[in-house]
Amino acid sequence: MSFFPQPAPPPTKLARYRQLAPRAAIHVSPLQLGAMSIGDRWTPFGFAEMNKESSFKLLDAFFEAGGNFIDTANTYQDGASEEYIGNGWRHEGTYTSTPFRANENKVNQANFVGNNLKSLKLSLEVSLKRLRTTYIDVLYVHFPDNHTSSEEIMDGLHALVQQGTVLYLVRPWDFQRPLLGLRFVIYQAPYSVLQRDLEREIIPMCQHEGIALAFWNVLAAGKIRSDEEENRRRESRENGRAGFGPTWERNETEKKMCAVLEKIAAEVGTKHVTAVAIAYTLHKAPIVFPIVGGRKVEQLHANIEALNIRLTPEQINAIETAVPFEAGAPYNALGPIDQYSLFVNAFAHFDPQPRLPPILPEDS
């Protein structure tokens, strides 16, 4: 018998925790729960309603499966997302990431939106009140506003970290190297089997700087689904989310990709094409924390299956050739940004440094 007690077996692989980043030693679940659907104030915009009871049911299922990493924002569901998480649900040991962008409704919104210091201070005060906490684990600058200087943003973020109001920072979308020695630990952006823009520069940059990646839109706003699922939704009139697009139904490109995912799902032994799509993103970089949303517990469990899937090079190639990605100039001529270009290889033989591999399940 070992002198040290052993932890109980994890309920799912969601409870196999990973260090957030080389410079952030907190350990979080490999999938983040996206909380944009939690709340009941965006129904007019095409979102299905999630009242407090259904929201807590999903949050509890995530926690019981081992999840401890939640992605929310002060604007989600006009604040209801943060309120539900903070008002009676929040468990000790959960880590919350929240972006700041805009504040509660005011008569004059001019200085209550954007990335200026006033907006940062006021939005964070509101988030802390809603979440019923004294600090934020991970803070995002949600979107660039195209006019606040990086120096102003960095001054504000630096002060928050020094005060202990924020523990870790997410690298803004369009940022230069940090000032004052302050380091970003994670980068959030959209990425999926249908949207691979980040492969041009962002993923190599994050690998070079030791920054983790938080991928959102990994299921293409719900468009990753089987033909059977789409037909069921059409017949039941459940449909799907169309808040950010002209229709909830898939186009021909999306159907083509989903057909490939269905084939691979059968090969790896899962019924869920969503799990294959999420697994693909986990293969693309060494430190990845995909954000998975949804409203139903069964959707969450289907997404967790991604952590059991190890794709072969042939399966990855099938996904990437189904909807080809155009790297564009100069990468079409020079090759990937993290490899020696043909103009260098023409003069000598080089052994490139190997990349840090992603964390994948063991071969079955």
Side-chain angles (χ1 to χ4, degrees):
M1 178 179 295
S2 172
F3 178 78
F4 296 100
Q6 296 298 306
T12 73
K13 287 188 177 178
L14 199 61
R16 296 191 64 88
Y17 304 107
R18 304 176 181 184
Q19 184 170 328
L20 179 61
R23 287 178 60 94
I26 58 170
H27 287 74
V28 294
S29 48
L31 300 179
Q32 301 179 63
L33 180 65
M36 187 168 68
S37 295
I38 291 176
D40 53 7
R41 297 174 189 165
W42 279 4
T43 305
F45 305 107
F47 283 75
E49 180 177 335
M50 286 191 73
N51 58 25
K52 186 172 290 188
E53 180 182 358
S54 59
S55 296
F56 281 18
K57 184 177 179 180
L58 180 65
L59 289 163
D60 284 341
F62 180 70
F63 184 74
E64 290 163 5
N68 72 344
F69 199 4
I70 301 172
D71 177 82
T72 185
N74 63 346
T75 55
Y76 288 170
Q77 299 286 340
D78 290 342
S81 177
E82 288 185 336
E83 289 172 6
Y84 284 7
I85 293 168
N87 185 14
W89 180 84
R90 185 181 172 99
H91 287 274
E92 184 176 356
T94 55
Y95 296 93
T96 305
S97 62
T98 191
F100 84 91
R101 179 176 59 182
N103 294 277
E104 294 177 318
N105 293 331
K106 305 289 182 183
V107 174
N108 188 329
Q109 291 273 17
N111 291 307
F112 294 88
V113 69
N115 297 333
N116 61 77
L117 289 179
K118 184 179 181 71
S119 176
L120 171 59
K121 175 180 171 59
L122 295 177
S123 64
L124 192 59
E125 286 177 351
V126 171
S127 289
L128 292 171
K129 181 179 178 181
R130 289 174 180 157
L131 292 168
R132 299 193 176 191
T133 183
T134 57
Y135 66 92
I136 298 295
D137 297 294
V138 184
L139 181 69
Y140 293 73
V141 178
H142 209 158
F143 290 108
D145 63 12
N146 296 334
H147 71 274
T148 305
S149 70
S150 58
E151 288 79 8
E152 178 177 353
I153 296 172
M154 285 305 304
D155 284 345
L157 296 178
H158 179 69
L160 293 174
V161 173
Q162 292 297 100
Q163 295 164 7
T165 309
V166 171
L167 301 186
Y168 300 105
L169 297 172
V170 176
R171 196 182 203 278
W173 284 32
D174 58 345
F175 235 55
Q176 62 187 32
R177 183 169 293 277
L179 308 175
L180 303 171
L182 200 59
R183 291 293 299 271
F184 301 116
V185 300
I186 190 168
Y187 187 101
Q188 188 187 84
Y191 183 82
S192 72
V193 293
L194 289 164
Q195 184 180 7
R196 296 168 50 204
D197 315 53
L198 300 188
E199 293 180 21
R200 290 189 181 96
E201 297 173 338
I202 299 302
I203 291 177
M205 176 200 72
C206 290
Q207 290 175 320
H208 177 73
E209 295 189 8
I211 295 176
L213 286 152
F215 293 145
W216 57 273
N217 205 38
V218 292
L219 297 180
K223 297 296 181 68
I224 301 297
R225 65 173 79 101
S226 65
D227 292 342
E228 179 183 358
E229 171 67 10
E230 185 150 313
N231 290 333
R232 184 195 66 78
R233 292 187 179 203
R234 187 181 296 110
E235 292 170 1
S236 68
R237 297 187 180 181
E238 177 186 354
N239 298 341
R241 192 178 79 199
F244 299 118
T247 176
W248 67 272
E249 295 175 299
R250 299 168 300 165
N251 60 34
E252 291 305 312
T253 299
E254 292 160 347
K255 290 178 181 179
K256 182 179 179 181
M257 175 59 76
C258 290
V260 173
L261 297 176
E262 277 197 81
K263 180 176 182 295
I264 296 173
E267 294 171 353
V268 300
T270 180
K271 298 179 181 179
H272 306 290
V273 295
T274 54
V276 178
I278 296 167
Y280 171 82
T281 69
L282 287 163
H283 285 65
K284 298 303 290 186
I287 316 173
V288 176
F289 299 94
I291 299 170
V292 296
R295 298 178 292 109
K296 302 176 182 177
V297 172
E298 55 266 33
Q299 291 173 329
L300 172 65
H301 289 158
N303 293 337
I304 293 173
E305 282 192 25
L307 301 174
N308 298 320
I309 297 173
R310 187 185 185 103
L311 299 174
T312 66
E314 292 76 19
Q315 289 166 338
I316 292 175
N317 182 65
I319 291 171
E320 294 183 344
T321 55
V323 179
F325 164 66
E326 180 65 36
Y331 310 112
N332 287 341
L334 301 180
I337 196 170
D338 57 347
Q339 297 181 18
Y340 291 106
S341 74
L342 60 89
F343 299 108
V344 174
N345 284 325
F347 296 94
H349 298 283
F350 299 95
D351 292 323
Q353 290 288 341
R355 299 184 191 179
L356 187 68
I359 299 174
L360 300 175
E362 296 179 359
D363 291 316
S364 57

